[in-house]
Each structure stands twice: as structure tokens, then as C-alpha cells.
Amino acid sequence: MPGYASIAATALAVTFAVASLEAQSQSELWGAAGEKWAPESRLPDFSFAGYRRGEESYRIPEETVSVVDFGARGDGESDDTSAFREALAAGAGQRVLVPAGRYVLSEVIEISRSGTVLQGEGGDRSVLLFSRPLEEIDPRPTTNGSGLPTTTWSWSGGLIRVTGSGPTTGSRIPVAEAESRGALSIAVPNSSFSAGDEILLTQQDSSAELGLVRHLYRDQAGDIARFGNASVKQVFRVRGVEGSRLLLDRPLRFDLRPEWEANVARFEPGTTDVGVEGLGFEFPETRYAGHWQERGYNPVEFGGGTAHCWMRGVRLLNADNGPFLNGFFSTVEGLSIEAGRRRVSEDGVTGHHGVTLGGGDNLCTGMRMQTKFFHDATVTRGSVGNVFSKIVAVDFNMDHHRAGPYENLFTDIDAGYGSRLFHSGGAVGRGRHTAAGATFWNIRTRQNVAWSDDFGPDLINVVALRTRERAATDPAGRWVEAIRPGAVDPPDLHLAMLERRLRQQGGEPSSGSATSASGTSVPGMSAPGTDAREWQSVDGRTIVARYGGMEDGAVILLREGQTFRVPLERLSEASREFAKQLSAGAAPDGN
């Protein structure tokens, strides 16, 4: 498998000679358990990212239908499009099962009913073979930001399309008073909101001065001559009402100013709790034609009117793009992106965008990027509060695509070689690649990395990264905290923030589970990214490493930017049992 270190006898002897976890270091932005953090801190609150804000397991319906019952053959030759559409229509709001097989599909499959889960038996067993790209099904010719001819499917769209109305209902009510970032209440006179309601706060600025853009970049926006209208959004749950003030369950991410047309509306996305899981998507193994030449072999798109959806245990082979998440509070978990040898271009690239989190408070966790895309992980215009975590890649790329992506987190990532970590796209004239609050925490590479002056403002946060940049911890300026990657505590900032919030609320985090609330596991779905623990070999040697998954009778162990593939028979009985329990999605005994 690309990127895996050899587990020859010498490597095994070296790694298992380590007997205990090295001393951990803590960041001045967080401390041991969040005691150094405050809502107005330069470090944003990322605890709400992902399905149901990390507070629930996936809602899996008990009722089922099967595509086979509607005539799907799964023989790799017959066109099963009609059977899939009929099954999804009849099974709306239910689990629509896709038994093991190879299903040819020739049209877009749409899901718009809340609670519908398209569930296969594993990415290698239940495989969808789309015979036509989106540009052939629904041509959308256009030009890119530089005027070059392309198609909108080069950077958007899905052959499975999850759609919904909204995400708001009712009228928009203006916010009456200015507020500062970190505030926990806002003035909204004459509203009918009450405790427990969810609201979407939107702020936009179409003025020539683009004051909102300058604020998001903390007055270091760079060239914004072609930025266009600016907007930023955040969802809240109302804790209570005091006079005209709504008490909020989370801090404001940005300042509010009436001249920026701040308003609130009821947050009621049209489609929720849709899942796509346990499936493989395979596309033709043709050579990747290059940047902007993609034809739309894209698996799944979640639209802007969706929320609390998920995609897990999915395998992509030879895709032009990976999933696009444009809504709120949704999760991509355990995704594997792969490509055949004939797919690789002269530049060693096989696709455009790996995973794009284009909405708010979305989460991509446990992904294995086993090939190189032009952009492995993308945040762009409208991306606010999203999280990428526990990713293993060959040579990871964190694309910040200009136009103001704001307060997004990359944490606990094995980035592989690190030759292009901060390389980013986006049209010139739309600001620096990222706005303020971008946070990079515990990212492990095999070499020192750097970023350009055009990447972002001073107010981004870099903690535990091998870098050529000088260390600096200026509360009002640059923050590059010199902690060795792999030695920072906590290793995953998102999980640490979530656990702290839920402890304060008297709950437990549910993110990262490979088992649903109804007990339904996803075949082939392991639980990568658990905390570091001690693993023991059959001859008594030990290594402290994180679990990265199971594959072909071997356990994948992650340590200090390297990935080791250890055959199960080389592990002690206790370590083998621990790995098997994690692979099955069960809670390991005694942990």
C-alpha cells in the first residue's frame, strides 16, 4: 500500500524497542484540559463539528428495503439505475440495502427524504460503477477563475446527490446591536424564538469597502479586487431569552455590525440524517487529464439545504473528485481514496479535490488518502468551523482556496512526505488563501514545511508542526508553537474540545464510532485514530502508537509521521484482540 513503512525485521526491532510514551507537551493556547482557553481566545471553538454536533451516534432506521427487490442485478453489466431509483422512492426514510455485487448506474441518483440511508456491505463488496460522468449526463460548460474552459463538475456535484430545501424557514430578523467575537448573546427585538430553537446567523457585506472581508482577515486580506460579495454564517441553539436578547449556546465566531446586514432566521434544513455507507465507487481507470479537465466522475454531494448527514466506510477508486459537503454538521468518516496505476498523470496526480468541506461545522475524520489529488482536502468560500482529523496520506495537501475560508481546523494528521502541505489554489484577487483562525495542530511530516506570505494573516495558529518558520507566540500576532509533532497533548484538538464541552454538559462524545445508535455496524469500517497506546509483539517488545485500521490480516500503526503495517501474527494475543475489537467497531475491553 502506498506510503506504508516496511515491517522487515530491522524496522520491527527498532519500533518495538520503544517501551513508553515520550513526555507530552501542552500548548499555551489550550493547556492540559482547556484551562488556558476562553471563548474570545484566538483559538476558535471547534467542538461542534460533525454529525449532530458530536452529541449523538448516527440515527439508523430499523426498516429496510433492498435494491434487489426492485430488480437490481449487480452483475457488472446490467443497468441498475431504475432499480436504485425505485428502491429509494419506496424506501424513503428507511435503510436501502445494497447487497454485495457490482451495480452499473448511468444517471444521477438523488436522495431528498430525511432519514434515508443507502447502505452497502463494504467498499470492496458493494460497488457502484457509474458508466457516465456528470458532464455527459448534464453538460455544464464554463470557464475557471483564469478564463480557461472547463465544466462546473470539475469542482462540484455528485453522481449521488443529497438535496434539501432551506436551510432556513420564515423571515430574517435583523440583529439590532453590534457584538464582539466571543459574545454569548445577541440583540434580536420582536423575535418569537425560545429556548431550544436553532437559528442561523448570517452576516453579509456588499459595500465597496468590503469591511466584513477585512474583519475576517484581521486587516490582512491581501488582494481583494475580485472578491465579490462577502458573507459568513453560524448556527446556534438558543439557551434562553432575556428581553430582546437571545442567549446562545456557543461563542460568536466574528464581530457583528449592523452595517454588515446581520440577521437571524430559524434553522430548519430540508433534509437531515441521510447516510451513504459501506459502498465502493469505481470509475474508469483512464489517465488523469489534468487540472480543470475533470468530467465529473464525482461520488456524492450534500447540498446547502442538508444537515446532520454522513458518509462512512466508503472506498473511491479513480474518482475525479471526492465528496462535497455544502451543508452543516455532517461527517465523512473512514473514507479511502485510491487510484489504479494507469490513472496516474505525469505529475503523479490522479484527481482534483479529495474532500471539500464547503459549509459549516462539518467533519472529515479517519480518511486514508492513498493517492495524490491536486487538492487533497479543501476549504473555500463559505467554509467556517470545519475539521479534518486523523488522516493518513501519502503527501497530504491542505488546500485553502481563497475567498475567506474562516476558522477551520486540521488536527492529528499523518501527512506523509510533506512536500506540498500548504500548496493552495483559488483565483487571484479573492484575498489570501485563508482568513483568520485557521488552525494546524499536530501534523506529522517527514520534512520541514513552510507556507507563503500569501497563505494567510498573522492570526492563524500553528502548533506541533515541523516547520522552517521561526517560533513565535504573540497573542495579537503570529503563533507558531515549537512542539514536536506527535508529542503534543492533546493530540486531537477537536476531540479534546468536544470532550470538554460534553463533560460540562454531563454527556459523552459520540464522534468516531463505527457503530450506529441502533447497533448497526458498517462492514469494512474500522475505527482509525484512537489515542496512542502500547502494542506488544509476540516476543515482548513494545511500541506506543495509534491504531490506523486493519487491512489484509495486518494492523496499521501510526507513530511520528510514519505508518507501519504489522501482521497480526507478530502481535501478542492481547494486542491482536485489541486490534480486532477496534476493527469491529466495538469498545475494547479494559480501555
Side-chain angles (χ1 to χ4, degrees), residues 438-513:
T439 300
F440 308 96
W441 184 288
N442 191 26
I443 300 177
R444 302 170 295 284
T445 59
R446 297 180 190 172
Q447 59 183 284
N448 289 336
V449 299
W451 51 94
S452 70
D453 291 339
D454 193 37
F455 182 75
D458 287 343
L459 283 172
I460 64 176
N461 309 303
V462 179
V463 177
L465 172 70
R466 287 182 62 176
T467 177
R468 295 188 290 272
E469 303 288 332
R470 60 179 176 81
T473 53
D474 179 357
R478 285 171 52 84
W479 193 281
V480 181
E481 206 165 357
I483 299 174
R484 184 176 58 79
V488 65
D489 182 27
D492 184 329
L493 179 62
H494 164 245
L495 278 186
M497 287 185 158
L498 174 61
E499 288 166 358
R500 178 181 183 271
R501 175 168 64 84
L502 295 187
R503 279 197 305 270
Q504 293 175 339
Q505 297 174 357
E508 293 293 336
S510 61
S511 64
S513 171

Side-chain angles (χ1 to χ4, degrees), residues 84 98 101 103 105 118 126-130 160 279-282:
F84 269 67
V98 184
Y103 299 86
L105 302 173
L118 186 64
S126 300
V127 179
L128 309 185
L129 306 169
F130 281 92
I160 291 181
L279 292 169
F281 291 76
E282 293 188 7

Side-chain angles (χ1 to χ4, degrees), residues 77-88:
E77 296 181 358
S78 306
D79 191 324
D80 291 322
T81 304
S82 295
F84 269 67
R85 287 178 166 176
E86 291 174 17
L88 285 164

